[in-house]
Amino acid sequence: MKIGFISFAHMHAYSYASVVSAHPELEIAGIWDADEERGQRMASDWQTTYESSLETFLETEMDAVIICSENANHKEHVVKAAQAGKHILCEKPIATKVEDARVMIEACEQAGVILQIAYPVRFADAIQKARSIINEGELGEVLAVNGTNHGQMPGGWFIQPELSGGGAAADHIVHVMDLLRWILKDEVAQVYAELDTRYYDIDVEDCGLVSLQMEKGTVVTIDPSWSRPKTFPAWGDVLLEIVGTKGKLSIDATKEHVVYYNDAAGRVSQLGYSTNSDQALMADFIETIKNGGTPSITGEDGLRTLEVVVAAYESNRDKKAITNERLQLS
């Protein structure tokens, strides 16, 4: 199966390319990138070809594309890829605007191609186990959830609002929100958020607190900050504390690791030994293409999480709670 890459703007593209390159049944069919120097460098690194024209690239023989461009460019790239008949794995968030996400979903439906959103944290062993525990009723009725998605401040286009759509809130709310919708099988009824810039001199927020109420009554808080220092041994964390009527469940999605003191590189890092979430995400995407089925993480999933992000920004701006009726969150 031939997989093309549309942009290496997002750092996750490097991990996805590593997975595709190592897979015995997959081949990197080519790379397009608006940054020609980066595109040519990536093509050299992954022993494939670089194409400077997106239209010509999409005429290449390939089964699917992985889109890792800047958030604001997802709409254009997804729509063009769909019109070219390519199945699509799109980096999160699906888009920067709710109306763009809807256009993307419709374009893929009309073209009859798969649109899957990249939420690899779903495949972490701890998350899979937690979902099983909750679905089997061992925790009882879920009353409250405290979630965090802390990370390092990525810089670059991530802190340019015209390309990113926002800062830490846009980058990190979606991961936790996707997990909650998937685990709890519930939608958001109300959003209240307070966001701020406390850690860095940048034009977007780098911290905040988002308070949610789910339709079934569960109360949720999410800390989506860029609060991990540059010397932190990993990109960040995904933590959940889920309180039910029968007990509490504490989840650390990346806890299964060993600490690697690398004197040669002069840094400390965390080497995970559990399921490779990016690898599992890719396997799921490929299996969906083979079977012609519905992806486990749909464009609709991406839309629902984006709506929460948009509501959080509106809440922070207007200093009031935003209900699902206001943004059609369900």
Side-chain angles (χ1 to χ4, degrees), residues 175-326:
H175 270 307
V176 178
M177 200 60 248
D178 177 68
L179 295 178
L180 294 179
R181 291 184 62 254
W182 184 60
I183 291 172
L184 301 180
K185 300 177 182 177
D186 199 4
E187 299 291 350
V188 173
Q190 185 170 279
V191 180
Y192 178 77
E194 295 192 11
L195 310 174
D196 207 345
T197 307
R198 298 290 185 94
Y199 297 103
Y200 301 94
D201 182 16
I202 54 179
D203 294 331
V204 293
E205 79 287 344
D206 56 23
C207 63
L209 187 65
V210 184
S211 300
L212 313 168
Q213 183 170 359
M214 307 299 286
E215 290 184 344
K216 296 177 183 177
T218 306
V219 176
V220 177
T221 60
I222 302 175
D223 172 357
S225 65
W226 284 336
S227 56
R228 302 301 87 171
K230 292 180 180 179
T231 53
F232 198 67
W235 60 268
D237 61 47
V238 177
L239 307 173
L240 296 173
E241 284 192 339
I242 303 177
V243 180
T245 53
K246 295 182 180 180
K248 186 178 80 169
L249 190 61
S250 296
I251 306 156
D252 183 343
T254 60
K255 187 175 183 178
E256 294 181 314
H257 66 262
V258 294
V259 178
Y260 177 35
Y261 297 92
N262 188 344
D263 284 351
R267 64 188 301 266
V268 178
S269 59
Q270 295 177 357
L271 304 180
Y273 56 80
S274 60
T275 297
N276 182 319
S277 296
D278 287 347
Q279 193 174 59
L281 170 71
M282 195 63 58
D284 182 75
F285 177 55
I286 299 306
E287 195 63 26
T288 302
I289 294 174
K290 287 181 177 179
N291 296 332
T294 301
S296 62
I297 310 171
T298 64
E300 190 78 12
D301 290 325
L303 170 61
R304 295 279 88 89
T305 56
L306 176 61
E307 286 174 336
V308 177
V309 171
V310 172
Y313 282 122
E314 183 170 341
S315 172
N316 179 69
R317 184 191 67 223
D318 296 343
K319 305 304 178 188
K320 65 179 183 181
I322 307 299
T323 63
N324 57 356
E325 290 84 3
R326 172 67 182 80

